[in-house]
Amino acid sequence: MTGSASLPEIPRDNNEGVLELNKDLETMIENVENISVQVTWMAYDLVALRTSPELGSSLQKLEEAYRRCRAAVFGVQQPEKAEVLDPTAAAHI
């Protein structure tokens, strides 16, 4: 391959470079693991909402109660929520 000839060669005796590379690889692996966990929870939530549509309305009521309680405790009006997932909309996906 002509493209492989243009790649710089990594010095074999550079321990600092190898340690830095290992550290970078560990960081990337950790990031991928975190993303994987987030995707797994998203899939779990989707299955839970499709299995039990009333769960969405229960969560919405719980969020509203939390906002009222927080406003009462801190004496500050909380901003309105952006949007809550409609459990019936998930069934049409």
Side-chain angles (χ1 to χ4, degrees):
M1 272 186 197
T2 59
S4 62
S6 65
L7 292 175
E9 189 167 327
I10 300 173
R12 303 252 184 229
D13 59 348
N14 189 356
N15 286 337
E16 282 184 29
V18 172
L19 291 175
E20 186 176 333
L21 178 63
N22 283 342
K23 189 170 141 183
D24 290 343
L25 288 173
E26 286 178 15
T27 302
M28 284 190 261
I29 289 171
E30 186 176 325
N31 289 339
V32 169
E33 288 173 348
N34 289 338
I35 291 170
S36 175
V37 168
Q38 290 175 355
V39 168
T40 301
W41 278 111
M42 287 171 59
Y44 174 81
D45 290 343
L46 180 64
V47 169
L49 283 173
R50 284 187 178 207
T51 305
S52 177
E54 63 273 358
L55 179 64
S57 63
S58 296
L59 287 174
Q60 185 176 7
K61 290 177 186 176
L62 184 60
E63 272 187 62
E64 291 169 1
Y66 167 77
R67 283 194 186 87
R68 287 191 307 269
C69 181
R70 185 169 173 91
V73 169
F74 293 108
V76 177
Q77 183 64 28
Q78 296 295 318
E80 289 296 317
K81 61 186 174 220
E83 185 176 316
V84 175
L85 178 64
D86 181 12
T88 57
H92 300 292
I93 298 175

